[in-house]
Amino acid sequence: MIATRIRIAGVLAGCLADLALGDPKRGHPVAAFGQAAAKLEQFTYRDAKIAGALHVSLAVGTVGLLGTAVQQAAARRNPLLTIAASATATWVALGGTSLARTGLEMARLLDRNDIEAARRLLPSLCGRDPARLDGPGLTRAAVESVAENTSDAQVAPLLWAVAGGVPGALMYRAINTLDAMIGYRSPRYIRFGWAAARLDDAANYVAARVTAALVVACAALVGGSPLGAARAWRRDATRHPSPNAGVVEAAFAGALRVRLGGPTQYRHELQIRPTLGDGRAPAAADLRRAVALSRIVQLGAAALVAALSSVSWRR
């Protein structure tokens, strides 16, 4: 129980660090991991699922071993070092503040109708082809990305940090990063990236549904509809090709009373996504509300973690 309380204290400290500081502008460990994974791919790439599984195992396994070594070294010294290690890993894994800043900047550019600048910014949010998107398309892409990353960059890292400590938080971020790098159905990655995509689906399964539940609970705080969020989640989520993105995007669509989904252009393919929600097309103001809801959901997830700590303390 003492170890659990120490871990949760570190997770909450890491959450506060993300809220206060956001991501480092230079030398982010996730960027360093991405560069290392790209170099590893030069040796591991084959157009086969087994090669992709080996690539993911080596990359994620190395991160897990490093995280375990750090956690054990801190635990042998004193609890404060354990808290610091857990806080640092959680901060590295989270991306809520950077997501919010980018989403608000996108809304500002769309309000000014600065389409070219918005297209340049979109790759910071998602992997779609911005060159083929107009204002409404950029707005929908941004809202959908904020929704999906509320789970991927905010709720899931917190849950994995609580469940697995330093290695859990870092391995989750490695899995999610590999999915963003190679988990595509492009000619190069349709087989090699299969393992990364499936592992990311598994790692985010619980977090996506916790996120959707928090969206329902918090929707009214941004003038949204809790009932609409629950209805869209239940009705539309399973129609989405992703078992997790569909859950959170549908919940956001219903909460904000907007319509998401439809033709979605990636650099390697055009996907015809199902319609999520039954409202109007989102505007820049809805993107701001999506960002606000995303931040509230992260705070709600942190509150759940704090409640878990309180229960552990009482026991």
Side-chain angles (χ1 to χ4, degrees), residues 241-269:
S242 167
N244 300 321
V247 169
V248 289
E249 288 180 21
F252 264 77
L256 300 174
R257 300 185 181 93
V258 298
R259 183 179 66 257
L260 302 176
T264 303
Q265 181 67 57
Y266 291 93
R267 288 182 175 85
H268 58 276
E269 67 173 341

mmCIF file of all heavy atoms in Angstrom, residues 241-269:
data_model
loop_
_atom_site.group_PDB
_atom_site.id
_atom_site.type_symbol
_atom_site.label_atom_id
_atom_site.label_comp_id
_atom_site.label_asym_id
_atom_site.label_seq_id
_atom_site.Cartn_x
_atom_site.Cartn_y
_atom_site.Cartn_z
ATOM 1 N N PRO A 241 -13.698 2.567 -37.723
ATOM 2 C CA PRO A 241 -12.730 1.485 -37.937
ATOM 3 C C PRO A 241 -11.794 1.249 -36.762
ATOM 4 O O PRO A 241 -11.239 0.159 -36.628
ATOM 5 C CB PRO A 241 -11.945 1.946 -39.176
ATOM 6 C CG PRO A 241 -12.185 3.411 -39.278
ATOM 7 C CD PRO A 241 -13.545 3.649 -38.725
ATOM 8 N N SER A 242 -11.602 2.253 -35.899
ATOM 9 C CA SER A 242 -10.760 2.075 -34.725
ATOM 10 C C SER A 242 -11.612 1.709 -33.517
ATOM 11 O O SER A 242 -12.609 2.375 -33.241
ATOM 12 C CB SER A 242 -9.982 3.356 -34.415
ATOM 13 O OG SER A 242 -9.391 3.289 -33.130
ATOM 14 N N PRO A 243 -11.223 0.683 -32.762
ATOM 15 C CA PRO A 243 -12.021 0.301 -31.586
ATOM 16 C C PRO A 243 -11.951 1.316 -30.457
ATOM 17 O O PRO A 243 -12.760 1.258 -29.527
ATOM 18 C CB PRO A 243 -11.387 -1.025 -31.156
ATOM 19 C CG PRO A 243 -9.973 -0.940 -31.637
ATOM 20 C CD PRO A 243 -10.036 -0.181 -32.930
ATOM 21 N N ASN A 244 -11.003 2.244 -30.525
ATOM 22 C CA ASN A 244 -10.833 3.224 -29.453
ATOM 23 C C ASN A 244 -11.135 4.650 -29.898
ATOM 24 O O ASN A 244 -11.837 5.387 -29.201
ATOM 25 C CB ASN A 244 -9.407 3.146 -28.905
ATOM 26 C CG ASN A 244 -9.084 1.775 -28.344
ATOM 27 O OD1 ASN A 244 -9.915 1.142 -27.718
ATOM 28 N ND2 ASN A 244 -7.875 1.306 -28.585
ATOM 29 N N ALA A 245 -10.618 5.061 -31.053
ATOM 30 C CA ALA A 245 -10.868 6.421 -31.529
ATOM 31 C C ALA A 245 -12.355 6.672 -31.715
ATOM 32 O O ALA A 245 -12.869 7.758 -31.405
ATOM 33 C CB ALA A 245 -10.120 6.675 -32.840
ATOM 34 N N GLY A 246 -13.067 5.663 -32.208
ATOM 35 C CA GLY A 246 -14.505 5.828 -32.409
ATOM 36 C C GLY A 246 -15.243 6.101 -31.121
ATOM 37 O O GLY A 246 -16.217 6.870 -31.086
ATOM 38 N N VAL A 247 -14.789 5.514 -30.015
ATOM 39 C CA VAL A 247 -15.445 5.698 -28.729
ATOM 40 C C VAL A 247 -15.340 7.152 -28.274
ATOM 41 O O VAL A 247 -16.342 7.787 -27.923
ATOM 42 C CB VAL A 247 -14.826 4.745 -27.679
ATOM 43 C CG1 VAL A 247 -15.299 5.099 -26.277
ATOM 44 C CG2 VAL A 247 -15.169 3.299 -28.012
ATOM 45 N N VAL A 248 -14.124 7.691 -28.288
ATOM 46 C CA VAL A 248 -13.946 9.057 -27.768
ATOM 47 C C VAL A 248 -14.442 10.112 -28.759
ATOM 48 O O VAL A 248 -15.008 11.136 -28.360
ATOM 49 C CB VAL A 248 -12.483 9.316 -27.370
ATOM 50 C CG1 VAL A 248 -12.137 8.535 -26.125
ATOM 51 C CG2 VAL A 248 -11.519 8.971 -28.484
ATOM 52 N N GLU A 249 -14.259 9.869 -30.049
ATOM 53 C CA GLU A 249 -14.741 10.843 -31.030
ATOM 54 C C GLU A 249 -16.262 10.917 -31.018
ATOM 55 O O GLU A 249 -16.851 12.009 -31.114
ATOM 56 C CB GLU A 249 -14.230 10.493 -32.425
ATOM 57 C CG GLU A 249 -12.744 10.751 -32.613
ATOM 58 C CD GLU A 249 -12.253 10.390 -33.997
ATOM 59 O OE1 GLU A 249 -13.092 10.316 -34.929
ATOM 60 O OE2 GLU A 249 -11.037 10.174 -34.167
ATOM 61 N N ALA A 250 -16.919 9.783 -30.898
ATOM 62 C CA ALA A 250 -18.382 9.786 -30.835
ATOM 63 C C ALA A 250 -18.861 10.506 -29.583
ATOM 64 O O ALA A 250 -19.817 11.296 -29.628
ATOM 65 C CB ALA A 250 -18.915 8.354 -30.865
ATOM 66 N N ALA A 251 -18.210 10.246 -28.449
ATOM 67 C CA ALA A 251 -18.602 10.916 -27.209
ATOM 68 C C ALA A 251 -18.423 12.425 -27.318
ATOM 69 O O ALA A 251 -19.288 13.198 -26.893
ATOM 70 C CB ALA A 251 -17.795 10.360 -26.034
ATOM 71 N N PHE A 252 -17.319 12.866 -27.895
ATOM 72 C CA PHE A 252 -17.090 14.303 -28.088
ATOM 73 C C PHE A 252 -18.131 14.886 -29.028
ATOM 74 O O PHE A 252 -18.659 15.984 -28.787
ATOM 75 C CB PHE A 252 -15.690 14.556 -28.637
ATOM 76 C CG PHE A 252 -14.670 14.900 -27.589
ATOM 77 C CD1 PHE A 252 -14.126 13.916 -26.782
ATOM 78 C CD2 PHE A 252 -14.250 16.204 -27.401
ATOM 79 C CE1 PHE A 252 -13.184 14.226 -25.814
ATOM 80 C CE2 PHE A 252 -13.309 16.534 -26.438
ATOM 81 C CZ PHE A 252 -12.773 15.543 -25.634
ATOM 82 N N ALA A 253 -18.426 14.189 -30.120
ATOM 83 C CA ALA A 253 -19.414 14.699 -31.075
ATOM 84 C C ALA A 253 -20.756 14.906 -30.404
ATOM 85 O O ALA A 253 -21.398 15.958 -30.571
ATOM 86 C CB ALA A 253 -19.544 13.735 -32.253
ATOM 87 N N GLY A 254 -21.198 13.915 -29.639
ATOM 88 C CA GLY A 254 -22.479 14.053 -28.953
ATOM 89 C C GLY A 254 -22.452 15.125 -27.884
ATOM 90 O O GLY A 254 -23.426 15.872 -27.721
ATOM 91 N N ALA A 255 -21.347 15.218 -27.147
ATOM 92 C CA ALA A 255 -21.244 16.219 -26.092
ATOM 93 C C ALA A 255 -21.293 17.637 -26.648
ATOM 94 O O ALA A 255 -21.936 18.528 -26.075
ATOM 95 C CB ALA A 255 -19.955 16.010 -25.301
ATOM 96 N N LEU A 256 -20.610 17.864 -27.782
ATOM 97 C CA LEU A 256 -20.531 19.202 -28.375
ATOM 98 C C LEU A 256 -21.670 19.494 -29.347
ATOM 99 O O LEU A 256 -21.748 20.595 -29.895
ATOM 100 C CB LEU A 256 -19.190 19.355 -29.108
ATOM 101 C CG LEU A 256 -17.931 19.196 -28.247
ATOM 102 C CD1 LEU A 256 -16.689 19.231 -29.117
ATOM 103 C CD2 LEU A 256 -17.863 20.263 -27.170
ATOM 104 N N ARG A 257 -22.513 18.492 -29.572
ATOM 105 C CA ARG A 257 -23.637 18.620 -30.511
ATOM 106 C C ARG A 257 -23.142 18.967 -31.923
ATOM 107 O O ARG A 257 -23.687 19.835 -32.607
ATOM 108 C CB ARG A 257 -24.633 19.677 -30.035
ATOM 109 C CG ARG A 257 -25.254 19.408 -28.672
ATOM 110 C CD ARG A 257 -26.324 20.450 -28.364
ATOM 111 N NE ARG A 257 -26.933 20.258 -27.056
ATOM 112 C CZ ARG A 257 -26.502 20.856 -25.942
ATOM 113 N NH1 ARG A 257 -25.459 21.657 -25.985
ATOM 114 N NH2 ARG A 257 -27.108 20.645 -24.789
ATOM 115 N N VAL A 258 -22.084 18.274 -32.367
ATOM 116 C CA VAL A 258 -21.557 18.477 -33.710
ATOM 117 C C VAL A 258 -21.515 17.134 -34.424
ATOM 118 O O VAL A 258 -21.736 16.071 -33.832
ATOM 119 C CB VAL A 258 -20.148 19.105 -33.683
ATOM 120 C CG1 VAL A 258 -20.192 20.490 -33.032
ATOM 121 C CG2 VAL A 258 -19.141 18.204 -32.974
ATOM 122 N N ARG A 259 -21.201 17.193 -35.705
ATOM 123 C CA ARG A 259 -21.114 15.999 -36.541
ATOM 124 C C ARG A 259 -19.665 15.803 -36.954
ATOM 125 O O ARG A 259 -19.051 16.683 -37.559
ATOM 126 C CB ARG A 259 -22.005 16.150 -37.773
ATOM 127 C CG ARG A 259 -22.039 14.913 -38.661
ATOM 128 C CD ARG A 259 -22.958 15.134 -39.853
ATOM 129 N NE ARG A 259 -22.463 16.157 -40.767
ATOM 130 C CZ ARG A 259 -22.924 17.389 -40.845
ATOM 131 N NH1 ARG A 259 -23.916 17.783 -40.061
ATOM 132 N NH2 ARG A 259 -22.415 18.259 -41.693
ATOM 133 N N LEU A 260 -19.108 14.653 -36.626
ATOM 134 C CA LEU A 260 -17.748 14.308 -37.014
ATOM 135 C C LEU A 260 -17.790 13.129 -37.977
ATOM 136 O O LEU A 260 -18.842 12.576 -38.264
ATOM 137 C CB LEU A 260 -16.913 13.971 -35.770
ATOM 138 C CG LEU A 260 -16.808 15.079 -34.709
ATOM 139 C CD1 LEU A 260 -16.027 14.579 -33.492
ATOM 140 C CD2 LEU A 260 -16.155 16.324 -35.288
ATOM 141 N N GLY A 261 -16.626 12.728 -38.466
ATOM 142 C CA GLY A 261 -16.556 11.624 -39.423
ATOM 143 C C GLY A 261 -16.750 12.099 -40.846
ATOM 144 O O GLY A 261 -16.851 13.292 -41.126
ATOM 145 N N GLY A 262 -16.763 11.137 -41.778
ATOM 146 C CA GLY A 262 -16.861 11.448 -43.200
ATOM 147 C C GLY A 262 -15.550 11.170 -43.907
ATOM 148 O O GLY A 262 -14.648 10.536 -43.351
ATOM 149 N N PRO A 263 -15.383 11.633 -45.154
ATOM 150 C CA PRO A 263 -14.149 11.383 -45.900
ATOM 151 C C PRO A 263 -12.935 11.926 -45.147
ATOM 152 O O PRO A 263 -12.914 13.086 -44.739
ATOM 153 C CB PRO A 263 -14.375 12.133 -47.219
ATOM 154 C CG PRO A 263 -15.860 12.245 -47.336
ATOM 155 C CD PRO A 263 -16.381 12.379 -45.939
ATOM 156 N N THR A 264 -11.919 11.086 -44.980
ATOM 157 C CA THR A 264 -10.733 11.446 -44.210
ATOM 158 C C THR A 264 -9.505 11.108 -45.033
ATOM 159 O O THR A 264 -9.225 9.928 -45.286
ATOM 160 C CB THR A 264 -10.714 10.689 -42.867
ATOM 161 O OG1 THR A 264 -11.920 10.983 -42.140
ATOM 162 C CG2 THR A 264 -9.510 11.096 -42.034
ATOM 163 N N GLN A 265 -8.773 12.145 -45.454
ATOM 164 C CA GLN A 265 -7.644 11.965 -46.361
ATOM 165 C C GLN A 265 -6.333 11.888 -45.596
ATOM 166 O O GLN A 265 -5.918 12.829 -44.936
ATOM 167 C CB GLN A 265 -7.578 13.124 -47.357
ATOM 168 C CG GLN A 265 -6.433 13.013 -48.357
ATOM 169 C CD GLN A 265 -6.615 11.836 -49.309
ATOM 170 O OE1 GLN A 265 -7.641 11.754 -49.994
ATOM 171 N NE2 GLN A 265 -5.643 10.947 -49.365
ATOM 172 N N TYR A 266 -5.703 10.720 -45.658
ATOM 173 C CA TYR A 266 -4.339 10.569 -45.170
ATOM 174 C C TYR A 266 -3.393 10.635 -46.364
ATOM 175 O O TYR A 266 -3.823 10.599 -47.527
ATOM 176 C CB TYR A 266 -4.171 9.242 -44.432
ATOM 177 C CG TYR A 266 -4.909 9.197 -43.113
ATOM 178 C CD1 TYR A 266 -6.210 8.682 -43.049
ATOM 179 C CD2 TYR A 266 -4.324 9.668 -41.950
ATOM 180 C CE1 TYR A 266 -6.900 8.647 -41.835
ATOM 181 C CE2 TYR A 266 -5.007 9.636 -40.742
ATOM 182 C CZ TYR A 266 -6.287 9.135 -40.698
ATOM 183 O OH TYR A 266 -6.980 9.112 -39.510
ATOM 184 N N ARG A 267 -2.103 10.705 -46.064
ATOM 185 C CA ARG A 267 -1.145 10.812 -47.175
ATOM 186 C C ARG A 267 -1.123 9.549 -48.028
ATOM 187 O O ARG A 267 -0.797 9.597 -49.208
ATOM 188 C CB ARG A 267 0.257 11.097 -46.625
ATOM 189 C CG ARG A 267 0.402 12.521 -46.083
ATOM 190 C CD ARG A 267 1.822 12.803 -45.595
ATOM 191 N NE ARG A 267 1.968 14.195 -45.204
ATOM 192 C CZ ARG A 267 1.653 14.677 -44.022
ATOM 193 N NH1 ARG A 267 1.165 13.862 -43.099
ATOM 194 N NH2 ARG A 267 1.821 15.952 -43.739
ATOM 195 N N HIS A 268 -1.477 8.413 -47.439
ATOM 196 C CA HIS A 268 -1.380 7.157 -48.170
ATOM 197 C C HIS A 268 -2.722 6.631 -48.657
ATOM 198 O O HIS A 268 -2.764 5.726 -49.484
ATOM 199 C CB HIS A 268 -0.730 6.096 -47.274
ATOM 200 C CG HIS A 268 -1.470 5.863 -45.991
ATOM 201 N ND1 HIS A 268 -1.269 6.655 -44.878
ATOM 202 C CD2 HIS A 268 -2.406 4.946 -45.636
ATOM 203 C CE1 HIS A 268 -2.040 6.230 -43.902
ATOM 204 N NE2 HIS A 268 -2.750 5.201 -44.333
ATOM 205 N N GLU A 269 -3.848 7.190 -48.153
ATOM 206 C CA GLU A 269 -5.146 6.672 -48.581
ATOM 207 C C GLU A 269 -6.271 7.620 -48.165
ATOM 208 O O GLU A 269 -6.111 8.458 -47.278
ATOM 209 C CB GLU A 269 -5.411 5.294 -47.965
ATOM 210 C CG GLU A 269 -5.590 5.318 -46.456
ATOM 211 C CD GLU A 269 -6.005 3.972 -45.898
ATOM 212 O OE1 GLU A 269 -6.493 3.119 -46.663
ATOM 213 O OE2 GLU A 269 -5.847 3.765 -44.678
#
